[in-house]
Amino acid sequence: MRMKSPQILMECLLEQGVDTVFGYPGGTILNIYDELELHGYKEKIRHILTSHEQGASHAADGYARSTGRVGVCFATSGPGATNLTTGIATAYMDSSPVVFITVNVGESLIGKDSFQEVDITGITMPITKCNYLVRRAEDLADIIREAFAIARSGRPGPVLIDILKNVTYDEADYEPLPVSEHFRHGRLAAMLRRASHDLRTPEPDHGDIQKLLDMIEEAKKPLVLVGGGVIRSRGAVREFRKFFERLNAPVASTIMGGGACPGNHRLFTGMIGMHGSHASNTAVDQCDLLIAIGCRFSDRVATHPATFASNAKIVQIDIDRSEIDKNVPTDHHIIGDARRVLELLNEKLPAHDYPEWKEWVFSHKEVPLKKDDILHPHEILETISDVTGGKAIIATDVGQHQMWSAQYYHFSRPGQLITSGGFGTMGFGLGAAMGAKMGNPDQTVVLCTGDGCFRMNCHELSTIEHYKIPIIIVIFDNRTLGMVRQWQHLIYGERYSQTDLDRGPDFVKLAEAYGIQGARAANQAEFEAAFRQAVESGTSWVIDCAIDKDAMVHPMVSGGAPSTDFLLD
């Protein structure tokens, strides 16, 4: 049947099961927004109008991370498109599947420095799995289908589709094509095979599986390290839990692996790396076999690659061949989807136990946490966990509050921690929390943020108020850029250059200006009372928590130092 391309776009989104889109309109994309008002599409696809395109990009990302489905974001040309780039890079670094759809100026205006013209495909080439410039309406349907397949397949990631404005006026033939038929549809199947080699992940080498099993048999002090790849691989967490329970060895996690091993599990040593626990960092220093699954050994994990796990044989399991030996040399590796690799391991892995090794690892206790009249970060996280039964989805921005959240909230399932681990994006949290709540309406969603980060995205309060998206925002308010100040205190001779936030706004009054309830807390009792009221209300709240300006994240290893050289103990 003949359709105009905006209608083809809507039909293709429905084919993919899209029910929510985040975005912001502008001149070039108006034909697509107009289509939302036609043919009943706005009844089938919810559009959330954010305050800024970056907020829309993070919301689509948060939706994807928390649901495992592909997020979708719309933006116009020029500054609308470039405002997405931080969100695109954030999704790319953390392997989050999002399709970004923009509309550029018309064909006759390309290359002429036209009003709001920008080469967004060129700009985003390094931060997308794939991107497209659509020049013909006839190509639109298959490009959309291909984009979704690439975003969700193999190692997930963002894809951008830029459509020329003149194409949005054109018609083309459209025939419905269920997702299950894509690889059997001649032209589309050829496009999919040509576009990405990892759409169908190859079977792991069974010889590589056996070699790891042999290495496990020889090991006396094994350590398992879980990363975000296990979270991203559908069904992998279930297989991962079978694996480490049968191995019965200590398990450490990167921040992106949070929730793969329950935070209160008897084998869990905690986070590893720059702000890793004593147990995790000493275990990686002394283990004789390190099995890293879905982990790329970033500089925040392997703070000093030359000495990282220097007493161990290192095994890296990853879906992406380019990650192998990129940061840390390995003794063995297995290429494949984490779920499938773990399935094959579990078929043959006998039960093990390492009582002496575990006793030694878990003898490395953390410093006792303070309890007094002021409000401490761990008390905030412990209260959130207690009140919500540990079931809340926690979104964070980036900084001290992010590390405290990873340390003190015991995540128990994948998609429960929504954080920018790879790109470290301040301003990510509120948009991501909106997306997580839209994708999980029955779950309590809490944003843990700092006063510095919250200033970067607080305009999205208008979005959560307008759409009645109930998010509880907890501000760790130390009146400074806390993590930067921590570095200045420890490394830069207490020269606190440009980190004091000795200015407004009053966050409670700001919340009230947007029609949202606000509260302040100066101690644990005040916070618990406010937080319980927020949960029971079922509405959005902003709780401004006054914490010590000099509160620090413990432990800390300096960048470039071995993992056991604790700068802050």
Side-chain angles (χ1 to χ4, degrees), residues 195-400:
S196 179
H197 69 276
D198 66 354
L199 282 175
R200 288 180 171 175
T201 306
E203 177 77 354
D205 186 289
H206 287 234
D208 290 339
I209 297 290
Q210 186 57 52
K211 182 176 179 179
L212 175 53
L213 291 167
D214 293 340
M215 294 171 78
I216 290 172
E217 284 298 319
E218 297 173 3
K220 304 298 183 185
K221 299 185 292 184
L223 176 67
V224 179
L225 175 57
V226 60
V230 172
I231 301 294
R232 293 287 174 265
S233 173
R234 188 178 295 274
V237 169
R238 180 179 62 254
E239 295 297 328
F240 175 68
R241 293 181 179 182
K242 290 179 185 177
F243 172 75
F244 75 72
E245 287 275 10
R246 195 168 298 169
L247 184 62
N248 205 8
V251 180
S253 173
T254 70
I255 190 169
M256 297 309 299
C261 177
N264 57 3
H265 195 281
R266 61 183 178 83
L267 294 173
F268 189 55
T269 62
M271 193 166 59
I272 198 169
M274 180 173 285
H275 295 292
S277 69
H278 290 86
S280 293
N281 283 15
T282 53
V284 79
D285 187 61
Q286 292 299 313
C287 67
D288 62 6
L289 176 64
L290 177 64
I291 305 170
I293 311 172
C295 166
R296 56 191 178 86
F297 298 123
S298 78
D299 59 305
R300 288 300 195 262
V301 170
T303 52
H304 188 245
T307 60
F308 183 76
S310 58
N311 295 301
K313 292 181 179 179
I314 300 175
V315 180
Q316 188 175 4
I317 299 170
D318 207 285
I319 197 169
D320 187 347
R321 178 63 182 85
S322 69
E323 293 293 351
I324 304 298
D325 297 329
K326 184 173 80 174
N327 296 320
V328 172
T330 61
D331 297 279
H332 180 49
H333 63 261
I334 302 174
I335 306 298
D337 178 79
R339 179 191 58 77
R340 182 58 181 151
V341 172
L342 289 163
E343 281 179 347
L344 294 172
L345 287 169
N346 288 337
E347 287 175 3
K348 296 183 178 180
L349 180 69
H352 289 72
D353 195 14
Y354 308 90
E356 294 180 1
W357 166 235
K358 288 185 292 186
E359 182 179 2
W360 182 85
V361 169
F362 288 104
S363 70
H364 292 81
K365 304 292 185 183
E366 301 307 309
V367 175
L369 300 173
K370 292 182 179 179
K371 293 279 187 179
D372 52 35
D373 292 336
I374 67 173
L375 184 58
H376 294 285
H378 68 87
E379 293 178 315
I380 297 173
L381 275 306
E382 289 165 358
T383 299
I384 293 171
S385 181
D386 289 345
V387 173
T388 64
K391 296 179 180 179
I393 293 173
I394 304 295
T396 82
D397 276 296
V398 171
Q400 288 180 313

Side-chain angles (χ1 to χ4, degrees), residues 84-230:
L84 298 178
T85 53
T86 296
I88 296 171
T90 302
Y92 183 75
M93 289 291 284
D94 289 342
S95 303
S96 183
V98 185
V99 171
F100 295 89
I101 298 172
T102 57
V103 177
N104 215 320
V105 299
E107 182 85 57
S108 64
L109 298 177
I110 289 288
K112 297 182 179 180
D113 294 332
S114 304
F115 179 69
Q116 293 191 335
E117 177 197 356
V118 73
D119 179 11
I120 194 62
T121 54
I123 289 170
T124 60
M125 190 174 294
I127 53 172
T128 53
K129 281 188 74 176
C130 188
N131 64 25
Y132 304 86
L133 178 62
V134 183
R135 294 180 177 272
R136 303 191 321 148
E138 292 83 357
D139 299 330
L140 181 61
D142 283 348
I143 285 176
I144 294 168
R145 292 159 177 159
E146 181 180 333
F148 273 82
I150 291 173
R152 68 165 69 94
S153 302
R155 179 178 181 172
V159 176
L160 180 131
I161 304 170
D162 192 34
I163 308 168
L164 295 183
K165 184 175 181 179
N166 55 282
V167 173
T168 67
Y169 290 98
D170 294 342
E171 291 186 350
D173 289 328
Y174 166 79
E175 294 297 333
L177 188 64
V179 173
S180 60
E181 297 294 318
H182 286 184
F183 273 99
R184 289 190 285 272
H185 187 264
R187 179 169 177 260
L188 178 61
M191 289 174 67
L192 291 172
R193 286 192 295 269
R194 184 172 65 251
S196 179
H197 69 276
D198 66 354
L199 282 175
R200 288 180 171 175
T201 306
E203 177 77 354
D205 186 289
H206 287 234
D208 290 339
I209 297 290
Q210 186 57 52
K211 182 176 179 179
L212 175 53
L213 291 167
D214 293 340
M215 294 171 78
I216 290 172
E217 284 298 319
E218 297 173 3
K220 304 298 183 185
K221 299 185 292 184
L223 176 67
V224 179
L225 175 57
V226 60
V230 172

Side-chain angles (χ1 to χ4, degrees), residues 504-551:
D506 180 320
F507 292 117
V508 173
K509 289 182 179 179
L510 180 68
E512 292 171 350
Y514 281 104
I516 294 171
Q517 181 71 46
R520 289 189 178 84
N523 55 53
Q524 196 273 339
E526 290 179 357
F527 175 70
E528 181 173 352
F531 188 77
R532 285 188 182 278
Q533 190 175 355
V535 172
E536 291 166 3
S537 74
T539 61
S540 292
W541 274 61
V542 172
I543 306 176
D544 187 9
C545 300
I547 64 170
D548 185 356
K549 192 171 188 175
D550 290 313

Side-chain angles (χ1 to χ4, degrees), residues 354-487:
Y354 308 90
E356 294 180 1
W357 166 235
K358 288 185 292 186
E359 182 179 2
W360 182 85
V361 169
F362 288 104
S363 70
H364 292 81
K365 304 292 185 183
E366 301 307 309
V367 175
L369 300 173
K370 292 182 179 179
K371 293 279 187 179
D372 52 35
D373 292 336
I374 67 173
L375 184 58
H376 294 285
H378 68 87
E379 293 178 315
I380 297 173
L381 275 306
E382 289 165 358
T383 299
I384 293 171
S385 181
D386 289 345
V387 173
T388 64
K391 296 179 180 179
I393 293 173
I394 304 295
T396 82
D397 276 296
V398 171
Q400 288 180 313
H401 68 272
Q402 178 191 33
M403 295 297 106
W404 288 322
S405 298
Q407 290 175 331
Y408 301 129
Y409 192 95
H410 297 311
F411 299 97
S412 60
R413 65 182 190 276
Q416 193 177 9
L417 172 61
I418 311 296
T419 193
S420 173
F423 207 47
T425 305
M426 292 178 71
F428 169 77
L430 186 50
M434 292 191 300
K437 184 62 179 180
M438 294 300 295
N440 302 268
D442 297 330
Q443 298 289 324
T444 299
V445 176
V446 179
L447 168 62
C448 292
T449 185
D451 49 320
C453 288
F454 189 57
R455 294 164 193 267
M456 294 189 174
N457 59 23
C458 59
H459 46 265
E460 296 299 345
L461 289 173
S462 66
T463 309
I464 65 173
E465 191 284 326
H466 176 77
Y467 292 100
K468 308 303 178 190
I469 307 172
I471 295 166
I472 303 172
I473 300 162
V474 178
I475 304 172
F476 291 66
D477 189 352
N478 51 10
R479 301 157 302 285
T480 187
L481 297 176
M483 186 61 83
V484 185
R485 180 183 174 88
Q486 180 166 329
W487 281 53

